[in-house]
Amino acid sequence: MADVGVVVSNGFVQITLSTPEGHITGIQYKGIDNVLEVINDESSRGYWDLVWSPPGSPGTNGTFERIVGTSYEVIVETKDQVELSFSRTWDSSLDGKRAPLKIDKRFALLRGSSGFYSYAIYEHLEGWPGFNLPETRIVFKLRKDKFHYMAMSDDRHRHMPLPDDRASSRGKPLAYPEAVLLVNPVEPEFKGEVDDKYQYSCETEDLKVHGWISTNPQIGFWQITPSNEFRTGGPTKQELTSHVGPTNLAMFVSAHYGGIDLVIRFKDGEKWKKVFGPVFMYLNSISAQEEPLTLWKDAKNKMLEEVGKWPYSFPASKDFHQAHERGRISGRLFVYDRYITDEHSPAIGASIGLALPGDPGSWQRESKGYQFWSKTDVGGHFLIENILAGTYNIYAWVHGFIGDYKNASTITITPGCDIEVGDLVFEPPRDGPTLWEIGVPDRSAAEFHIPESDPVYTNKFLANDANRFRQYGLWERYARLYDDGNLVFTIGQSDYKKDWFFAHVNKKRYDIMYEKTTWTIKFELNDVIKNGTYKLRLALASAQLSDLQVRANNPNTDPPLFSTGVIGGDNAIARHGIHGLYWLFNIDIPGKLLTFDHENAIYLTKINEGIIFPGGVMYDYIRLEGPPPS
C-alpha cells in the first residue's frame, strides 16, 4: 500500500489502482511506466462507469456516473494470485445522487499472466427504489503518443486518426456529434475521411478481442472477452469496441442498435444480481524488426486460449459460478416448411440459445439475465455448455427462414446437469405457397443495394465490400438515386441486389425537412381467388422512429391496409449497422383487392415527415403467399 494507491505486479505487468475508488491509474509494461494516458486525471484513465435515470424516464440518456469504490479489500493474496475488491453500497442518503446499486469491482492478477482480469458484481436489493440502467462498461484511455494502430478483426484494422483531429480547428461536425469530417488532420493521409466511433462496431458473437498497437516500442493492449453470457441483447446485438482516443471499451449493457428496448428497468424493491465479466486485458510485445500485426495475430491466439479456459476457475467471488456449478444441453433442431419439403430438414448453422422465459424472439430485447448461445452443425445438432443454473426457454432462428423458434416449455438447469432435449422442430410462419419474394431472410439488409459512398465522406478503411455499408451518409444517396421519383421494383424483372436500396428513408429537403417516400412492388398474378386471403410477410432488419404503411393497388387508401405504428429506436442506419432489432409483420390482403387481368402493386410508405434524422427502416425479406389450398 502506498500514497498512490495499491500496486500489484506479477513480473509481467504492474498495475496501480486508487484506493478506495478502484480506478486504474497506471499499467506498467515492458519499460513503459504507464500505457494509460498520463495527461488525464487519474480517475479518467481506466475505470468502470454507468449511466442511470429515474424510473419512467424516456429515451436512453441519463446521469453519467464513474463507479467510485468506498471500501477496499484484498480478497486473495497468494503466490499464484492477487484479487482486489473495490466496493460501494447505496443508501437512502444517496437517493437521486447515485444509482441504487451495490457494486463490487474486482481486479485479479495471476502468476505468469501477461495481463490482468476485471469483473464486477451488481446488485439491486429488496426495498431499494426503482431506476433505469441504459449503460455500463469498462473504459481504458491509452497514451495517444504511443497507440496509433487499432485492430478489431482481420478486415478492420488501421492506423487511426488522433483525437486532436476531431477538434473544431481540424474537423467539421456532421449530422450528429459522433461523426466528424477530418478537414485538416495532423497527418494528411486522413484528410477528407469521416471518423465515427460507430464505424468500429461489431456483433457481440464476434466481439472477443480488440485493441491497440504501439510501434515505439512494439507492444499491444487488448481486451479479450471469452464469453458473452453476461452481455445484453443476444449474439446479434452490436457494440462499440475501440475508437479514436485511443480508447478501448468493454461494453456490458447499452442501448446501441436497440434503443430504449435494451434499457434495463428496475421496479421498486426488485431483487437482482448479475456478474459482468471477467474480461482479460492482455499486453504483448515483439521486437522492433517484426511486423506489428504479429501482435494482432498473437492476441487472436490468446483469445482462443482464454475461451478454452471459460468458465474461469480463479474468481474468488461466490457469485461467479465455476464449471461444476453449471450445466449443459444438447439436441437437434429441424425446420419444417411444408411448402418446401414434406420432410423435416436439419437446421444448418442456426443460432440456438437459452435466455430468460419470454415470447418468441424476446431474447433480442432481454437485458436482466444471462444468455447462452451456440450454432447447429450440418446435421442440425447442437451443444450448449457452461449454462448457469436457472430456468430458461430455448430460442432459435434459422438462416433462410422467417420468424423465431421457442420451445413449448421451459427448461431448468441444475449444477452438473447434462440434458438431452431430443429433436426440436421449428415451423416458420407460413399460410400458403410463395408467389414472390424479395431478399434473403437472414435478419440483415446486406444483400440489397449498398451504394457507393459520397466521395466527400469516403473512408478508405471501409472501401472493401464487406464493410462498405459502414460508410458515413449512405442514407443520403437514396435521394440522389431517386431524385425524380421513388423506388419501383418489378417482380420477375428487377434484381434485389441492384434495384432494392438497402434502407427505406425519407428524402431530405430544405436542409432539415424530410418528406415521406413510397416504394412500389409491381407484380402479376395468373389467377386470383377473390374470396381468399393472401399473406404478405414483411420482415424488417431495422427500424428507427418509423411508421411503415402498406397499401394494395391504391397508393391513397385511407386508412391503409396495414400500419406498423411508430416503431423502433435502434438507429442502425445512422450508426452504420446493416441491421438493428428484428421485426416480423404478417399482413392479410383480401383477394378482392388483387387482380389477374393487369399488374398489381404493393405500396410501402415510410411516413413521419419533418425533422427526423435519419428515421427509416431496413428490410430483411418480403414474401407474398397465396391462400392455403382447400
Side-chain angles (χ1 to χ4, degrees):
M1 185 80 174
D3 291 338
V4 294
V6 59
V7 179
V8 187
S9 174
N10 66 355
F12 287 89
V13 297
Q14 175 180 294
I15 61 173
T16 304
L17 300 105
S18 62
T19 53
E21 298 86 1
H23 303 316
I24 304 172
T25 61
I27 302 173
Q28 187 179 105
Y29 178 72
K30 291 290 182 179
I32 300 180
D33 287 341
N34 198 348
V35 303
L36 301 179
E37 184 52 87
V38 293
I39 64 174
N40 284 11
D41 182 84
E42 288 192 345
S43 65
S44 185
R45 298 176 184 176
Y47 54 89
W48 285 73
D49 67 31
L50 57 80
V51 175
W52 70 280
S53 61
S57 299
T60 60
N61 297 321
T63 301
F64 172 83
E65 180 185 335
R66 194 164 287 145
I67 300 169
V68 178
T70 57
S71 177
Y72 157 65
E73 183 180 359
V74 178
I75 302 296
V76 177
E77 186 176 9
T78 69
K79 64 182 179 62
D80 294 318
Q81 176 179 347
V82 171
E83 184 166 329
L84 308 178
S85 165
F86 302 86
S87 61
R88 76 102 195 266
T89 299
W90 183 89
D91 61 47
S92 58
S93 69
L94 298 172
D95 193 17
K97 301 175 183 177
R98 294 285 185 270
L101 285 170
K102 179 181 179 182
I103 299 176
D104 184 357
K105 299 183 294 182
R106 300 289 183 97
F107 299 90
L109 210 62
L110 306 183
R111 185 170 63 130
S113 178
S114 186
F116 62 96
Y117 298 84
S118 187
Y119 67 107
I121 305 98
Y122 286 38
E123 187 172 10
H124 186 250
L125 296 179
E126 188 174 356
W128 284 3
F131 77 107
N132 296 342
L133 182 66
E135 183 172 291
T136 191
R137 62 186 186 171
I138 308 176
V139 180
F140 292 96
K141 296 184 176 179
L142 306 175
R143 285 175 59 164
K144 73 174 184 179
D145 64 333
K146 296 288 185 185
F147 292 92
H148 299 151
Y149 200 97
M150 183 276 298
M152 56 163 296
S153 68
D154 287 336
D155 64 355
R156 278 194 286 169
H157 53 79
R158 69 172 305 194
H159 186 216
M160 293 284 279
L162 293 169
D164 313 63
D165 297 334
R166 295 178 56 88
S168 58
S169 60
R170 294 186 177 276
K172 176 186 175 182
L174 296 174
Y176 48 92
E178 294 88 351
V180 173
L181 179 64
L182 306 181
V183 177
N184 182 32
V186 175
E187 298 184 46
E189 68 176 285
F190 299 119
K191 185 174 182 178
E193 291 196 357
V194 172
D195 178 68
D196 182 352
K197 65 182 181 180
Y198 295 110
Q199 292 175 326
Y200 313 117
S201 298
C202 181
E203 292 187 340
T204 56
E205 64 183 346
D206 299 320
L207 183 49
K208 292 183 170 63
V209 57
H210 64 92
W212 291 82
I213 292 172
S214 162
T215 54
N216 183 27
Q218 296 215 110
I219 67 169
F221 181 95
W222 311 98
Q223 182 224 121
I224 293 175
T225 307
S227 171
N228 287 316
E229 66 184 40
F230 40 78
R231 284 178 166 148
T232 58
T236 58
K237 170 74 164 64
Q238 295 157 96
E239 275 303 356
L240 300 178
T241 59
S242 292
H243 59 78
V244 165
T247 301
N248 180 278
L249 301 172
M251 303 295 302
F252 301 119
V253 175
S254 88
H256 300 136
Y257 303 93
I260 197 169
D261 286 337
L262 269 298
V263 174
I264 306 181
R265 299 176 181 86
F266 296 99
K267 299 176 182 178
D268 288 346
E270 180 179 355
K271 294 181 68 175
W272 175 81
K273 182 187 287 188
K274 191 170 186 179
V275 179
F276 295 107
V279 295
F280 181 47
M281 273 52 70
Y282 175 58
L283 291 96
N284 58 359
S285 65
I286 55 175
S287 68
Q289 292 74 38
E290 293 181 83
E291 165 62 38
L293 277 176
T294 303
L295 293 164
W296 163 245
K297 295 174 183 176
D298 175 67
K300 290 192 296 178
N301 289 333
K302 186 63 176 177
M303 175 270 291
L304 295 174
E305 182 182 326
E306 294 297 312
V307 169
K309 295 177 182 176
W310 189 268
Y312 291 133
S313 59
F314 69 82
S317 172
K318 60 179 175 54
D319 293 308
F320 181 82
H321 292 177
Q322 308 290 330
H324 70 274
E325 299 175 276
R326 299 168 177 244
R328 57 185 252 169
I329 69 167
S330 57
R332 195 176 185 192
L333 180 66
F334 291 87
V335 180
Y336 175 56
D337 185 333
R338 64 187 183 280
Y339 287 95
I340 296 177
T341 177
D342 291 333
E343 299 179 351
H344 292 179
S345 303
I348 301 172
S351 294
I352 186 164
L354 277 72
L356 291 183
D359 296 325
S362 60
W363 55 267
Q364 67 173 343
R365 292 173 171 83
E366 201 283 305
S367 54
K368 288 182 181 175
Y370 299 86
Q371 297 194 24
F372 306 88
W373 288 85
S374 183
K375 294 277 192 181
T376 58
D377 65 15
V378 293
H381 299 94
F382 64 88
L383 171 66
I384 306 174
E385 300 182 284
N386 300 315
I387 308 166
L388 292 168
T391 300
Y392 303 90
N393 274 129
I394 300 175
Y395 300 94
W397 67 274
V398 185
H399 182 96
F401 296 89
I402 60 173
D404 281 276
Y405 171 81
K406 188 196 87 167
N407 65 317
S409 58
T410 59
I411 185 168
T412 299
I413 301 297
T414 56
C417 72
D418 186 357
I419 300 173
E420 168 59 57
V421 297
D423 293 345
L424 308 177
V425 180
F426 171 43
E427 296 188 37
R430 169 75 77 172
D431 282 6
T434 297
L435 301 180
W436 52 258
E437 59 187 349
I438 301 172
V440 178
D442 59 359
R443 303 182 178 231
S444 163
E447 70 268 31
F448 298 126
H449 175 58
I450 300 170
E452 294 291 338
S453 60
D454 188 325
V456 174
Y457 301 132
T458 298
N459 189 328
K460 295 186 291 291
F461 162 63
L462 302 170
N464 59 79
D465 285 344
N467 289 298
R468 62 189 298 177
F469 67 85
R470 302 184 193 277
Q471 298 280 10
Y472 174 84
L474 294 183
W475 57 87
E476 293 183 352
R477 305 299 281 175
Y478 176 76
R480 298 188 184 186
L481 287 171
Y482 298 92
D483 184 51
D484 296 328
N486 279 300
L487 184 148
V488 177
F489 189 93
T490 302
I491 299 298
Q493 297 179 23
S494 301
D495 180 352
Y496 67 77
K497 296 178 183 179
K498 300 176 182 178
D499 303 318
W500 190 270
F501 197 75
F502 82 104
H504 189 167
V505 294
N506 290 346
K507 284 186 177 180
K508 186 177 181 181
R509 300 293 188 196
Y510 315 115
D511 291 331
I512 61 172
M513 296 301 291
Y514 290 79
E515 64 180 26
K516 68 181 180 181
T517 52
T518 296
W519 289 12
T520 304
I521 304 171
K522 294 184 176 181
F523 60 98
E524 294 182 352
L525 297 174
N526 294 326
D527 187 24
V528 173
I529 302 173
K530 290 294 185 178
N531 62 352
T533 300
Y534 293 72
K535 186 77 75 173
L536 184 70
R537 307 287 185 184
L538 187 63
L540 303 181
S542 169
Q544 169 68 17
L545 297 175
S546 293
D547 184 356
L548 187 64
Q549 298 182 347
V550 179
R551 293 174 173 86
N553 281 337
N554 184 344
N556 301 310
T557 302
D558 190 19
L561 178 65
F562 173 80
S563 173
T564 62
V566 178
I567 60 169
D570 60 43
N571 217 9
I573 297 172
R575 291 177 172 176
H576 327 297
I578 202 62
H579 71 86
L581 296 181
Y582 176 77
W583 304 77
L584 178 62
F585 299 98
N586 306 295
I587 304 157
D588 289 338
I589 301 180
K592 64 183 180 181
L593 297 182
L594 302 175
T595 181
F596 64 87
D597 54 9
H598 58 79
E599 197 172 50
N600 292 277
I602 296 292
Y603 299 101
L604 303 172
T605 301
K606 208 299 252 176
I607 62 170
N608 306 89
E609 296 177 276
I611 308 173
I612 299 176
F613 169 79
V617 301
M618 285 188 275
Y619 297 97
D620 167 41
Y621 174 75
I622 303 175
R623 181 172 76 213
L624 181 66
E625 298 172 9
S630 58

